[in-house]
């Protein structure tokens, strides 16, 4: 991106930067890396308007990495509940514990381990950050650039869309470009060895190179953040507001009147999953929760669930005996259907209420499943279950 475009971008950002709880009024001020890490992780897959309140609540309860590292996983999940993609919360907690040396650093590269000891703060190099659970290239770049003002590249969905339009790139970073398939003319010189039709760089490298160009500019932290904001508010997925865009003069897609063609559509591979979820209730009104061995929510307590054909009858299937003895069941009732999306899975589940004759046993381990189980008082389930899949099923009671 040329100097003039970057200057226009900066001026636009100074006038239009939204007031956000993780953004100081002084756009040149360095920030708390912990706050950048939390806000950027929350913002993955989630709208700014939703994240705003979650972030404020989170920072009140877990204002720094040490407080977070000392928290119970169930509480962390509660503060995340509603944001979805719970693996993000789990990884945040794992990373906090590694940084604070509560958890083992064995999984980290040796050099990352030694430099991280006794610091109790996030590391300050891309290599060390990317070695931590849940911190990928994007989040590492955001922490280093926005918080530490290092000249590090950022590439998120907003920047991909802007670069695709600015340079008329008709491929995505995740695409595989076949031998012989030519990217657009204006980038060919950068991508192809002279006289060859084989791509010299992968699509991801092409995008990252544009991101690095921005990162090498003075005040790169501001340019990076301005591009993220521009993608969110002006160069939007639908109906980009090109008339008010500071990059209009250098935008290839705009000049060619082909904005709607970029970026190319992503191929979605959504998988349907049909199943049964069991709400097993003891005679003393406790609900069975199970940890492990489930299709979804493998690392947190959930209701037992398993796959079944779409047209299966609503009677109790044989697999239910994994969780409960048949002679203890007093009634089985179909209480409704829930729909839920988890990552690429489009889920439809029949909810079966299984009433038992017996009281809940005291033990919290099931010999039948070899997984941890817990009997939760019916009135405490809202607090206990940290995923909306279970809460939807329990709402049918
Ligand atoms: Fe996006 Fe339009 Fe700006 Fe080009 S001119 S970067 S398409 S908003």
């Amino acid at each position: 991106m040329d100097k003039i475009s970057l200057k226009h971008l900066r001026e636009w950002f100074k006038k239009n930067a939204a007031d956000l709880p993780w953004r100081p009024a002084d756009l040149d001020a360095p920030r708390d890396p912990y706050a950048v890490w939390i806000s950027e992780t929350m913002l993955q897959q989630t709208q700014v308007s939703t994240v705003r309140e979650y972030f404020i609540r989170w920072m009140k309860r877990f204002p720094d990495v040490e407080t977070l590292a000392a928290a119970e996983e169930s509480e962390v999940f509660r503060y995340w509940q509603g944001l979805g993609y719970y693996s993000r919360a789990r990884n945040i907690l794992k990373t906090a514990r590694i940084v604070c040396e509560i958890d083992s650093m064995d999984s980290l590269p040796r050099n990352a381990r030694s430099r991280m000891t006794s610091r109790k703060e996030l590391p300050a190099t891309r290599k060390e950050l990317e070695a931590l659970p849940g911190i990928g290239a994007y989040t590492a770049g955001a922490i280093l650039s926005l918080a530490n003002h290092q000249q590090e590249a950022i590439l998120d969905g907003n920047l991909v869309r802007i670069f695709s339009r600015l340079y008329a790139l008709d491929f995505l970073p995740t695409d595989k470009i076949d031998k012989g398939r030519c990217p657009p003319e204006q980038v060919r010189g950068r991508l192809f060895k002279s006289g060859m039709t084989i791509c010299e760089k992968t699509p991801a490298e092409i995008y990252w190179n544009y991101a690095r160009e921005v990162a090498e500019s003075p005040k790169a932290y501001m340019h990076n953040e301005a591009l993220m904001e521009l993608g969110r508010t002006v160069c939007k997925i639908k109906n980009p507001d090109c008339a008010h865009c500071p990059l209009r003069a250098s935008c290839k897609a705009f000049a060619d009147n082909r904005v709607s063609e970029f970026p190319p559509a992503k191929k979605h591979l959504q998988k349907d999953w049909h199943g049964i979820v069991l709400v097993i209730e003891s005679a003393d009104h406790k609900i069975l929760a199970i940890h492990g061995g489930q299709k979804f929510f493998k690392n947190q307590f959930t209701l037992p669930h398993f796959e079944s054909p779409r047209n299966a009858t609503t009677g109790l299937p044989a697999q239910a005996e994994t969780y409960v003895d048949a002679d203890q069941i007093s009634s089985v009732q179909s209480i409704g259907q829930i729909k839920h999306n988890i990552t690429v899975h489009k889920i439809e589940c029949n909810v079966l209420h299984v009433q038992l004759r017996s009281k809940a046993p005291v033990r919290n381990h099931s010999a039948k499943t070899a997984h941890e189980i817990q009997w939760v008082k019916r009135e405490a389930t809202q607090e206990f279950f940290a995923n909306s899949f279970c809460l939807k099923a329990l709402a049918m009671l």
Side-chain angles (χ1 to χ4, degrees), residues 161-167 227 230-231 234-236 239-255 258-260 262:
R161 186 165 60 256
I162 293 171
F163 291 150
S164 170
R165 289 170 175 167
L166 270 184
Y167 305 110
L227 284 171
L230 189 78
V234 175
C235 193
K236 295 173 287 187
N239 305 321
D241 185 8
C242 300
H244 296 103
C245 177
L247 304 179
R248 196 175 60 239
S250 55
C251 180
K252 173 89 173 117
F254 179 74
R258 295 172 60 210
V259 171
S260 62
F262 301 97

Side-chain angles (χ1 to χ4, degrees), residues 214-240:
V214 175
E216 282 160 16
S217 62
K219 285 190 183 268
Y221 57 92
M222 192 179 286
H223 299 143
N224 277 335
E225 196 174 18
L227 284 171
M228 286 150 71
E229 186 98 335
L230 189 78
R232 193 171 65 79
T233 59
V234 175
C235 193
K236 295 173 287 187
I237 298 172
K238 285 186 187 154
N239 305 321

Side-chain angles (χ1 to χ4, degrees), residues 98-101 104-133:
I98 290 172
V99 168
C100 295
E101 298 171 47
S104 160
M105 289 189 276
D106 292 350
S107 58
L108 302 182
R110 193 176 293 276
N111 58 351
R113 269 182 259 164
S114 56
R115 271 178 274 165
M116 228 176 278
T117 46
S118 75
R119 202 159 60 190
K120 297 194 176 36
E121 60 188 38
L122 289 169
T125 68
R126 184 179 278 276
K127 196 174 173 189
E128 288 171 290
L129 280 169
E130 288 185 18
L132 292 165

